[in-house]
Amino acid sequence: MTTDALEIPAGHPARRPAAWALWCSVLTGVVFTAWAYATTQFPSISASTPWQDDPYHGMISFTEFLVPAMTALLVVRASLWRRGQPQPVFRINQLARGCLVSSALVALTVLTDVVATVLAADRDRWDAKTPGLIASLVPLALLAAASFALHRTALRQLPQTESGRPDGDWLDDLAELVHRIARVRIDRPLGFVRDHIVASAVLLSALAGIGVASMQALGEGGETPLLYGMSVLVAFGGFLAFCLISNAVLHIAVPRGAESARPGRIRRAARVAVIAGALTLPAAAVLRDRIWQLLGHRAEVDSVGTYASITLITALLIGLLAFAAAAGMPRGGRRRAASLRT
């Protein structure tokens, strides 16, 4: 269903399920954050979990930061929602998309931990606390499932604008929120971020990578320069991939004017390659032993140099393959493939 209106009234049927979905996702994020903190920051608890080591721990090492951050952003943006007033279609749609991403992160973490449990990872470390920790995955799974169901209902009832493009983004609402609180307009700085979203994502991810790596180094009593640098790079890659994918899914910064034109094939392929390579960095880091064994070695990776080489070379190869695949795909290839499937 499409509409010419940019806002939907207070009594629209999509508003109530969207509100329920929003607060269900917030509850899921709060419960997950408390669970993740308890199962990773207290050694007496984390030592009893089947997912305490890589590759399973690699997932929660990111989601324990991303989920609370997404939850906080959702709550802040939802403060603009006034129950008795019309609301922009883009605001409700993007809040729902944000909730889906947050719930998906929770679901992926639960799935990873279930795999670790089924494969009996670190079985020799299981103790009397382990069954309870495994059982704690059940309420998380139920909350994530409820969130998905509510958001599916909300998005199906939400109208779409005739243009097919969102009429606003997260930066618009950030400017509106600042104006309401401080009576200050910040449109120009946010316009710069919108026009340089990749550079902004790189800077934000670099800061996040340094912060996470520094926290890990302090917790472990220090690291060698090479290991610290790899920790920064791996965290940077994970956060950068998340930022770029999230921008495409959540419409955090929607280009305006000339920037809204479709990018050329090479530019599009380069962005796909950056995302694929960045996402491969943390994946290769946690799967380093598996990759090393696939190369014919029986022993686990036991040096920082080997770890760095495996991670960087794998990310580079995946990035190059992604670039070649994306550059070779015609602009209408996806649409033709979709028409063949239907």
Side-chain angles (χ1 to χ4, degrees):
M1 179 173 59
T2 59
T3 179
D4 292 321
L6 301 181
E7 295 183 335
I8 57 177
H12 193 278
R15 300 229 351 203
R16 184 180 293 274
W20 277 102
L22 170 65
W23 297 118
C24 181
S25 286
V26 170
L27 175 61
T28 303
V30 171
V31 172
F32 174 83
T33 300
W35 174 86
Y37 183 82
T39 56
T40 58
Q41 302 304 314
F42 294 96
S44 61
I45 297 177
S46 62
S48 302
T49 60
W51 50 86
Q52 60 187 281
D53 290 325
D54 288 337
Y56 315 106
H57 182 74
M59 175 63 72
I60 197 172
S61 65
F62 280 96
T63 55
E64 67 179 335
F65 293 101
L66 295 175
V67 171
M70 283 293 303
T71 302
L73 289 173
L74 290 170
V75 171
V76 170
R77 194 178 188 189
S79 65
L80 292 171
W81 190 330
R82 297 294 184 267
R83 181 179 299 178
Q85 298 177 2
Q87 291 295 310
V89 172
F90 77 83
R91 179 177 298 156
I92 299 179
N93 180 279
Q94 290 166 16
L95 278 170
R97 286 168 173 258
C99 293
L100 281 174
V101 170
S102 180
S103 299
L105 291 172
V106 174
L108 286 173
T109 305
V110 171
L111 179 60
T112 301
D113 295 347
V114 168
V115 171
T117 302
V118 171
L119 296 179
D122 292 313
R123 184 65 178 84
D124 57 324
R125 302 182 189 178
W126 292 18
D127 56 25
K129 294 189 291 291
T130 303
L133 291 168
I134 295 173
S136 69
L137 297 173
V138 175
L140 289 174
L142 293 176
L143 283 170
S147 180
F148 280 126
L150 289 169
H151 284 91
R152 184 172 181 272
T153 301
L155 287 173
R156 289 178 63 182
Q157 296 184 9
L158 191 67
Q160 302 295 320
T161 58
E162 292 287 351
S163 65
R165 292 178 59 85
D167 299 294
D169 54 26
W170 288 70
L171 296 184
D172 286 324
D173 272 2
L174 175 59
E176 176 65 22
L177 185 63
V178 171
H179 178 66
R180 289 190 183 185
I181 295 174
R183 300 298 176 184
V184 175
R185 287 292 183 186
I186 57 171
D187 296 326
R188 176 170 291 184
L190 293 182
F192 177 84
V193 173
R194 182 180 287 112
D195 294 339
H196 301 85
I197 185 61
V198 175
S200 300
V202 168
L203 177 59
L204 181 63
S205 301
L207 293 174
I210 292 172
V212 171
S214 298
M215 290 174 58
Q216 291 176 346
L218 289 174
E220 296 178 3
E223 294 177 344
T224 64
L226 179 57
L227 183 57
Y228 176 77
M230 284 302 301
S231 297
V232 171
L233 185 61
V234 168
F236 165 78
F239 285 121
L240 179 61
F242 178 78
C243 286
L244 296 179
I245 294 172
S246 293
N247 186 56
V249 174
L250 304 182
H251 302 142
I252 295 172
V254 177
R256 307 288 165 82
E259 292 293 328
S260 64
R262 288 182 177 271
R265 179 182 298 180
I266 299 302
R267 184 178 176 184
R268 185 177 69 249
R271 181 167 295 194
V272 170
V274 168
I275 294 174
L279 193 60
T280 302
L281 282 171
V286 299
L287 294 172
R288 58 189 179 275
D289 290 334
R290 306 317 194 264
I291 297 173
W292 189 238
Q293 290 164 6
L294 286 174
L295 294 175
H297 301 273
R298 294 185 179 182
E300 296 180 350
V301 174
D302 57 359
S303 72
V304 179
T306 303
Y307 157 59
S309 300
I310 291 172
T311 303
L312 294 175
I313 293 174
T314 304
L316 179 61
L317 289 175
I318 295 298
L320 290 174
L321 289 173
F323 179 85
M329 179 181 292
R331 184 180 295 274
R334 293 180 180 177
R335 290 193 295 271
R336 287 196 293 271
S339 65
L340 289 174
R341 288 195 296 269
T342 57

